[in-house]
Amino acid sequence: MPFVRFTGFEKNVVEHVAPAIIEDFAAIANIPQEIVKIELLQVEKIINSPQSVEIYMFPREQEKHDAIAKMINEHLKNEGFHRAHIFYVLLQPSLYYKEGLPLNEIPRKTVHET
């Protein structure tokens, strides 16, 4: 957690940008890189379905959400994708379960995890 889900992109594009996005995302959100998940969703486009990036994560300060969206947009623009939609699906730690138990708090990088 968090999950960054790409829709409408080729697999090689996502694989290429994933390492930099994980590194930058973790730094902005102050979380370990190991918990950032990147996924490519396969959808069947019907009408007006843009390339998009869905970010499932726990709420942070607005400035962090803005910085993460801007960072992802910059990585995509560097690959030639200028019109991707980026949006958040915000989750609650008390409603996110791991091994049947709610997390109850937002994971953060600890002092010794630099």
Side-chain angles (χ1 to χ4, degrees):
M1 157 59 86
F3 292 91
V4 182
R5 296 176 170 167
F6 291 79
T7 303
F9 291 90
E10 296 295 325
K11 183 178 181 181
N12 64 324
V13 171
V14 177
E15 288 175 333
H16 183 260
V17 298
I21 288 175
I22 289 171
E23 183 177 339
D24 293 346
F25 194 114
I28 294 167
N30 190 35
I31 56 175
Q33 290 184 22
E34 301 77 45
I35 70 170
V36 180
K37 314 292 189 260
I38 304 281
E39 299 177 336
L40 175 61
L41 302 180
Q42 301 297 326
V43 298
E44 186 174 344
K45 293 182 181 185
I46 304 299
I47 298 173
N48 299 328
S49 183
Q51 291 174 314
S52 63
V53 181
E54 304 171 20
I55 305 166
Y56 286 73
M57 68 183 290
F58 300 131
R60 297 286 200 282
E61 299 81 16
Q62 184 65 45
E63 296 78 23
K64 289 187 185 260
H65 290 295
D66 294 347
I68 290 167
K70 182 178 180 181
M71 172 272 296
I72 291 172
N73 188 62
E74 289 301 316
H75 283 296
L76 293 175
K77 280 175 50 178
N78 290 340
E79 297 297 317
F81 301 97
H82 298 277
R83 300 183 58 121
H85 293 216
I86 300 171
F87 60 91
Y88 288 89
V89 177
L90 297 178
L91 307 172
Q92 295 179 30
S94 63
L95 295 175
Y96 189 95
Y97 294 80
K98 195 168 183 179
E99 298 176 7
L101 300 172
L103 290 183
N104 289 322
E105 66 179 55
I106 298 174
R108 306 245 187 238
K109 193 184 285 187
T110 61
V111 176
H112 60 299
E113 290 181 299
T114 57

